[in-house]
């Protein structure tokens, strides 16, 4: 009897507790709530944080994030205006500003991300197809490149190291994508806050061709510098040969001049030495003639001389060699 009375007192308390627990809910600072009754939204969205009430068991609490959310797309291949296939990786930031419209059109964040994939991917393709690759890569329109101070005036006139001019740049292309996509996602209760290119790269199929073209261009520049270097080297070698020939010619002239002066001085000394007496003159003539004989007469030399020849004068007194066989 006592237990039955206790049960009768506890049962209403349990029912009241369940009703209270089902009727109360909390909204955090990062959330906003849509109340649905039998799957349909009722009332206005709850956007303020705190403890709230609803009809127990009949109404359902649907939480929607109020923070800034991230969308990170997958890299996608697309052609540029100049027919180059590139892989574009894009990311964006967005938030839910109209929770009721968002709930009616999309229901959850997964559906929202899928719709953002479609819209941002489509607008990115349209923007990339309308611009050349240089417009998507470069950021500033009037940027001046750093150029080597060692470049000659002729090389500067050839625009070596000069940047290709652009009309818009990557920031303007991003702004075009943002403007076009923001209008389309607004109907889903979404506000698009920002988009950026995370990475732009050549497609795998065209990357080797691009690299080959870059190598070819650099090779042409290298060959031009090499040809200029060879020309300069040839000019330096020519100047060296000319200077060397000039130095050798001048040295030979000086040597011959010195040799001539030495011969003249030696002749003068000989003359002074042998002109002191008739005997000295005769001795000089004899020694000079004797020095000339080895040059004139060899083993198989035949001389035809007149009897009054100066050379023959000293040969008259030489008797022929005796024949040992006798």
């Amino acid at each position: 009897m006592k237990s039955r009375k206790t049960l009768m007192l506890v049962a209403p308390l349990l029912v009241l507790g369940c009703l209270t627990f089902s009727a109360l809910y909390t909204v955090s600072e990062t959330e906003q709530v849509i109340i649905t009754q039998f799957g349909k939204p009722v009332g206005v969205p709850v956007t303020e944080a705190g403890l709230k009430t609803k009809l127990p068991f009949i109404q359902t609490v649907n939480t929607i994030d109020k923070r800034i959310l991230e969308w990170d797309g997958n890299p996608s291949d697309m052609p540029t205006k100049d027919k180059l296939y590139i892989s574009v990786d894009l990311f964006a930031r967005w938030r839910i500003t109209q929770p009721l419209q968002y709930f009616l059109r999309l229901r959850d964040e997964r559906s929202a991300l899928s719709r953002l994939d479609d819209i941002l991917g489509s607008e990115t393709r349209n923007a990339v197809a309308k611009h050349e690759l240089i417009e998507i890569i470069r950021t500033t329109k009037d940027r001046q490149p750093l150029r080597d101070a060692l470049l000659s005036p002729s090389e500067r006139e050839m625009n070596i190291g000069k940047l290709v001019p652009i009309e818009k740049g990557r920031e303007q292309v991003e702004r075009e994508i943002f403007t076009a996509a923001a209008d389309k996602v607004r109907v889903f209760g979404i506000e698009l806050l920002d988009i950026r290119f995370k990475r732009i790269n050549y497609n795998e199929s065209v990357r080797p061709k691009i690299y080959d073209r870059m190598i070819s261009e650099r090779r042409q520049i290298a060959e031009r510098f090499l040809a200029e270097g060879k020309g300069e080297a040839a000019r330096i070698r020519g100047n060296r040969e000319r200077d060397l020939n000039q130095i050798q010619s001048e040295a030979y002239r000086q040597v011959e001049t010195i040799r001539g002066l030495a011969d003249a001085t030696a002749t003068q000394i000989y003359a002074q030495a042998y002109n002191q007496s008739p005997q000295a003159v005769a001795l000089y003539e004899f020694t000079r003639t004797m020095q000339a004989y080895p040059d004139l007469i060899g083993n198989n030399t035949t001389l035809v001389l007149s009897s009054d020849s100066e050379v023959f004068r000293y040969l008259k007194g030489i008797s022929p060699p005796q024949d040992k066989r006798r």
Side-chain angles (χ1 to χ4, degrees):
M1 190 71 180
K2 186 177 179 179
S3 60
R4 182 180 296 178
K5 288 181 179 180
T6 303
L7 182 60
M8 292 177 64
L9 292 174
V10 173
L13 293 176
L14 291 176
V15 172
L16 180 61
C18 290
L19 290 175
T20 303
F21 180 78
S22 179
L24 296 177
Y25 66 94
T26 58
V27 180
S28 70
E29 294 290 342
T30 62
E31 295 176 342
Q32 46 194 344
V33 171
I34 298 293
I35 302 298
T36 58
Q37 184 172 323
F38 304 112
K40 294 182 179 181
V42 295
V44 295
V46 180
T47 58
E48 295 181 0
L51 183 63
K52 309 296 179 180
T53 61
K54 65 179 181 62
L55 293 177
F57 305 111
I58 298 176
Q59 294 182 344
T60 304
V61 176
N62 301 273
T63 59
I64 298 174
D65 205 325
K66 194 165 57 174
R67 295 170 297 182
I68 295 176
L69 303 175
E70 176 185 1
W71 174 85
D72 193 356
N74 295 320
S76 179
D77 294 339
M78 53 193 71
T80 62
K81 185 179 179 180
D82 44 354
K83 307 303 180 184
L84 292 175
Y85 276 85
I86 58 175
S87 178
V88 179
D89 194 357
L90 194 73
F91 73 92
R93 297 294 181 265
W94 60 283
R95 65 184 175 187
I96 303 168
T97 56
Q98 300 179 20
L100 181 58
Q101 188 173 352
Y102 170 84
F103 182 79
L104 292 174
R105 301 292 297 271
L106 300 174
R107 289 281 176 172
D108 54 19
E109 187 175 333
R110 182 178 180 180
S111 300
L113 292 176
S114 177
R115 191 56 59 93
L116 286 173
D117 285 339
D118 297 337
I119 295 175
L120 292 178
S122 175
E123 295 302 330
T124 302
R125 286 186 177 84
N126 292 338
V128 170
K130 292 189 297 185
H131 299 88
E132 295 183 354
L133 178 62
I134 191 66
E135 299 284 347
I136 304 172
I137 298 299
R138 291 269 300 280
T139 55
T140 54
K141 183 177 180 180
D142 300 322
R143 182 169 70 89
Q144 296 297 325
L146 295 175
R147 305 182 71 182
D148 194 342
L150 299 178
L151 290 177
S152 63
S154 60
E155 291 172 338
R156 292 180 180 274
E157 292 178 359
M158 296 176 64
N159 294 329
I160 295 178
K162 186 177 180 180
L163 296 177
V164 178
I166 62 174
E167 296 181 359
K168 294 183 179 180
R170 187 172 69 233
E171 294 180 357
Q172 182 63 32
V173 176
E174 290 173 342
R175 204 171 298 119
E176 292 179 3
I177 299 173
F178 172 80
T179 303
D183 293 336
K184 293 185 177 182
V185 301
R186 194 174 292 116
V187 298
F188 302 105
I190 294 175
E191 179 186 5
L192 190 62
L193 300 176
D194 191 22
I195 66 166
R196 286 289 184 270
F197 286 118
K198 184 166 65 175
R199 186 178 183 184
I200 299 174
N201 205 346
Y202 289 113
N203 182 272
E204 291 292 341
S205 61
V206 301
R207 192 178 301 175
K209 298 179 181 178
I210 298 297
Y211 290 160
D212 291 342
R213 187 176 67 180
M214 294 171 62
I215 293 172
S216 177
E217 292 175 354
R218 298 303 183 274
R219 188 169 294 162
Q220 289 178 1
I221 296 174
E223 289 177 354
R224 181 174 59 81
F225 280 115
L226 185 61
E228 293 177 357
K230 289 181 178 179
E232 185 68 15
R235 185 184 65 82
I236 294 173
R237 284 195 294 268
N239 293 337
R240 184 196 64 182
E241 293 294 334
R242 183 194 62 192
D243 296 341
L244 182 61
N245 292 334
Q246 182 178 359
I247 292 171
Q248 290 178 343
S249 176
E250 182 66 21
Y252 181 77
R253 185 184 65 81
Q254 293 180 2
V255 167
E256 292 300 320
T257 301
I258 294 172
R259 184 175 295 168
L261 293 175
D263 290 343
T265 303
T267 303
Q268 183 179 2
I269 293 173
Y270 279 128
Q272 292 176 354
Y274 290 106
N275 284 335
Q276 294 180 3
S277 65
Q279 292 80 7
V281 173
L283 178 62
Y284 175 73
E285 292 178 352
F286 176 75
T287 55
R288 295 295 291 178
T289 304
M290 292 298 104
Q291 292 176 358
Y293 280 157
D295 297 332
L296 296 175
I297 303 174
N299 294 330
N300 299 318
T301 302
T302 301
L303 294 177
V304 178
L305 302 174
S306 62
S307 58
D308 57 351
S309 172
E310 292 292 333
V311 177
F312 185 70
R313 183 174 49 145
Y314 294 105
L315 297 176
K316 292 179 180 180
I318 299 176
S319 59
Q322 300 293 328
D323 190 355
K324 295 181 180 181
R325 292 177 297 178
R326 293 180 181 180

